């Protein structure tokens, strides 16, 4: 179950508050972790941000290749976006605080996305 | 008589910064802004009669402030020694002992390694006849702080601090790009991004996040050949595009957090 995977990843990292599974081709968030408290508009913006940073296939907006990982920092928040290697339109969008341990989080998040993408 | 340049300066500061709050208090100092300067700035920006409580972890200090003047020391944490005799004693230039003692307590408070926050509340006590107070200018003079000193902009400071970790870097200030590079191929790529993609990307990104006045950091892995990461950070009218190795990102991110996240 996608929701179980998202909840399990969220459970491992308390500094990560929201984890969403998105389809970049349609620009839609398909699922979030169970205890996410983010408004629909914010989720839509999160998905737009993912599409801009990771880009639609073959259309990089910053750089010359389609990125597979993006990290975006603001004053009170960090957001992480990951693209599934096997299904490039599948993406994981994560919102956390700056206390999030990226070195520990990124491998776990990539593995989570890979499982979701392969089983979807 | 109004001081238009001063008002304009303060309005510009207010318009360019988004306040960060922690536990209900506004964070005013980080690695770029020294605690003492931040405290004096706060007094300098206080016109109405307020009780300002400054905190650095468990250490705190409350001042009664009005008209950009410190009227009295109201309260302190126990670790700020020798403050008891000076609590609620009206400050004036005529009482140099109290004034210098309060300045010394302020100096000790500001000698903290952690960030400083401020809580501003309406002052409850009635106005006393002898409430002349000490101007922030006089206080700054005694503490040897130059209130008019031009502070380095954070992106410039970021570039200077992280320079060795960049494979290539472009730094934009006043509409001009400056460069530094160990890797000239990556520098050429960054220049191409700056010329062909950057203005549109930045505009789209700020629209998307609805946070055009906030500092931003964007890092992409796999976004360019010949480099692990390409990235951009921008704030307060300055921007930098840079390329770096994954192994250097922890350091770069730590510096960014220290400068931009309070």
């Amino acid at each position: 179950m996608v929701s179980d995977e998202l909840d399990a990843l969220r459970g491992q990292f308390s500094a990560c508050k929201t984890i969403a599974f998105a389809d970049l081709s349609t620009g839609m968030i398909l699922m979030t972790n169970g205890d996410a408290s983010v408004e629909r508009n914010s989720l839509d913006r999160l998905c737009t941000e993912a599409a801009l940073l990771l880009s639609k296939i073959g259309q990089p907006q910053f750089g010359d290749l389609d990125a597979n990982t993006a990290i975006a920092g603001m004053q009170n928040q960090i957001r992480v976006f990951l693209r599934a290697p096997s299904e490039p339109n599948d993406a994981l969008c994560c919102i956390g605080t700056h206390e999030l341990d990226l070195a520990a989080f990124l491998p776990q998040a990539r593995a989570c996305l890979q499982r979701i993408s392969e089983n979807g | 008589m109004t001081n238009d340049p001063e008002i304009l300066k303060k309005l510009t500061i207010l318009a360019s910064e988004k306040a960060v709050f922690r536990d209900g208090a506004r964070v005013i100092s980080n690695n770029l802004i020294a605690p003492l300067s931040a405290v004096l700035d706060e007094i300098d920006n206080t016109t109405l009669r307020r009780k300002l409580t400054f905190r650095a972890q468990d250490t705190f200090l409350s001042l009664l402030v009005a008209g950009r003047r410190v009227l009295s020391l109201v309260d302190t944490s126990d670790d700020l020694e020798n403050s008891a005799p000076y609590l609620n004693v009206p400050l004036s230039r005529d009482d140099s002992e109290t004034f210098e003692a309060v300045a010394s307590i302020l100096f000790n408070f500001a000698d903290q390694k952690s960030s400083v926050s401020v809580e501003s509340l309406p002052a409850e006590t009635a106005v006393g006849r002898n409430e002349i107070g000490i101007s922030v200018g006089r206080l700054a003079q005694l503490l040897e702080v130059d209130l008019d000193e031009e502070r380095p902009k954070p992106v410039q400071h970021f570039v200077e601090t992280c320079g060795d970790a960049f494979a290539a870097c472009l730094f934009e200030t006043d509409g001009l790009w400056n460069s530094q590079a160990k890797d000239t191929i990556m520098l050429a790529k960054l220049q191409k991004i700056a010329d062909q993609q950057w203005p549109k990307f930045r505009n789209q990104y700020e629209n998307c996040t609805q946070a055009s006045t906030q500092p931003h950091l964007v890092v992409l892995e796999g976004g360019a050949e010949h480099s692990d990461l390409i990235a951009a950070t921008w704030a307060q009218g300055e921007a930098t595009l840079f390329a770096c190795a994954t192994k250097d990102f922890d350091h770069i991110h730590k510096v960014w957090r220290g400068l931009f996240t309070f």
Side-chain angles (χ1 to χ4, degrees), chain A residues 71-80 96-103 106, chain B residues 31 158 161-162 165-166 216-219 229 231 233 242 244-262:
Chain A
I71 296 166
M74 286 168 55
Q75 269 180 333
N76 56 357
Q77 202 179 72
I78 191 164
R79 296 183 298 282
V80 177
T97 66
H98 282 285
E99 282 66 45
L100 181 63
D101 180 353
L102 287 173
L106 285 172
Chain B
N31 290 350
F158 173 77
T161 308
C162 294
F166 297 152
H216 289 282
L217 170 69
V218 165
V219 182
L229 307 174
T233 189
F242 60 91
C244 67
T246 303
K247 67 178 177 55
D248 294 320
F249 179 65
D250 268 357
H251 167 66
I252 291 168
H253 187 217
K254 190 176 174 186
V255 172
W256 191 89
R257 284 182 60 183
L259 290 172
F260 294 102
T261 68
F262 290 92

Side-chain angles (χ1 to χ4, degrees), chain B residues 39-110:
Chain B
V39 168
L40 293 177
D41 279 351
E42 200 59 31
I43 296 167
D44 196 26
N45 290 329
T46 303
T47 307
L48 299 177
R49 186 182 173 83
R50 309 289 288 182
K51 185 175 103 170
L52 301 182
T53 299
F54 299 96
R55 291 183 191 278
Q57 292 185 326
D58 294 333
T59 303
F60 73 88
L61 172 146
S62 296
L63 299 170
L64 186 61
V65 175
R68 302 167 63 201
R69 301 174 77 86
V70 181
L71 305 183
S72 62
L73 177 66
V74 178
D75 196 9
T76 69
S77 51
D78 292 340
D79 58 327
L80 290 175
E81 295 174 353
N82 304 321
S83 61
Y86 305 103
L87 296 181
N88 298 305
V89 177
L91 292 175
S92 80
R93 294 185 73 153
D94 298 335
D95 181 1
S96 61
E97 185 199 333
T98 304
F99 167 39
E100 287 172 13
V102 170
S104 173
I105 292 163
L106 195 59
F107 185 83
N108 289 339
F109 167 79

Side-chain angles (χ1 to χ4, degrees), chain B residues 156-172:
Chain B
Q156 179 187 349
H157 194 75
F158 173 77
V159 170
E160 288 169 358
T161 308
C162 294
D164 289 344
F166 297 152
C169 167
L170 284 175
F171 170 55
E172 182 191 35

Side-chain angles (χ1 to χ4, degrees), chain A residues 45 48-49 52-53 60-76 78-79 98-99 102-103 110, chain B residues 18 20 189 193 197 201 204-205 208 210-211 214-225 230 253 256-257 260-261:
Chain A
R45 282 206 303 274
T48 305
E49 186 179 359
L52 181 60
L53 295 180
Q61 306 292 306
F62 184 88
D64 51 14
L65 297 172
D66 300 324
N68 54 52
T69 303
I71 296 166
M74 286 168 55
Q75 269 180 333
N76 56 357
I78 191 164
R79 296 183 298 282
H98 282 285
E99 282 66 45
L102 287 173
R110 285 191 184 111
Chain B
K18 183 176 171 66
V20 172
K189 279 183 181 287
I193 292 171
Q197 295 178 317
F201 172 82
Q204 284 183 321
Y205 190 75
C208 162
Q210 297 185 349
Q214 276 215 36
H216 289 282
L217 170 69
V218 165
V219 182
L220 301 185
E221 184 180 78
E225 281 185 287
I230 53 170
H253 187 217
W256 191 89
R257 284 182 60 183
F260 294 102
T261 68

Side-chain angles (χ1 to χ4, degrees), chain B residues 125-138:
Chain B
T125 53
V127 180
R129 283 182 188 172
N130 298 324
E131 278 191 337
I132 299 167
I134 296 294
S135 72
V136 70
R138 180 76 185 90

